[in-house]
Amino acid sequence: MARIRSVHPGLWTDETFVGLPAMARLFLIGLWNEADDNGVFQWKPLTLKMRILPGDNADVSELLAIM
């Protein structure tokens, strides 16, 4: 079940975060909504694609590999 999360303002200047491709940054924020309070989420690339990036031409398996 998706959860409401806040994005810390310091994220936008974090060197590791800004070093990711733009789609990976967006996907990472979306993963926070999918993860439970322990940071665990179901590793189902197609389901994650449909829940986080349904309108984008993105390879979620590739994005998960970057994480």
Side-chain angles (χ1 to χ4, degrees):
M1 181 171 117
R3 290 161 173 73
I4 296 172
R5 305 285 187 203
S6 296
V7 177
H8 190 279
L11 178 67
W12 306 109
T13 56
D14 179 84
E15 291 181 10
T16 302
F17 183 75
V18 299
L20 294 171
M23 189 63 71
R25 293 191 303 253
L26 179 61
F27 187 69
L28 177 63
I29 293 169
L31 278 179
W32 292 339
N33 289 121
E34 294 302 314
D36 65 17
D37 290 338
N38 295 313
V40 177
F41 60 91
Q42 289 189 329
W43 195 276
K44 293 182 167 182
L46 182 57
T47 300
L48 292 170
K49 162 84 170 92
M50 295 309 297
R51 291 185 56 87
I52 300 172
L53 300 170
D56 295 298
N57 185 16
D59 184 345
V60 172
S61 295
E62 183 179 308
L63 294 172
L64 286 167
I66 292 172
M67 303 296 145

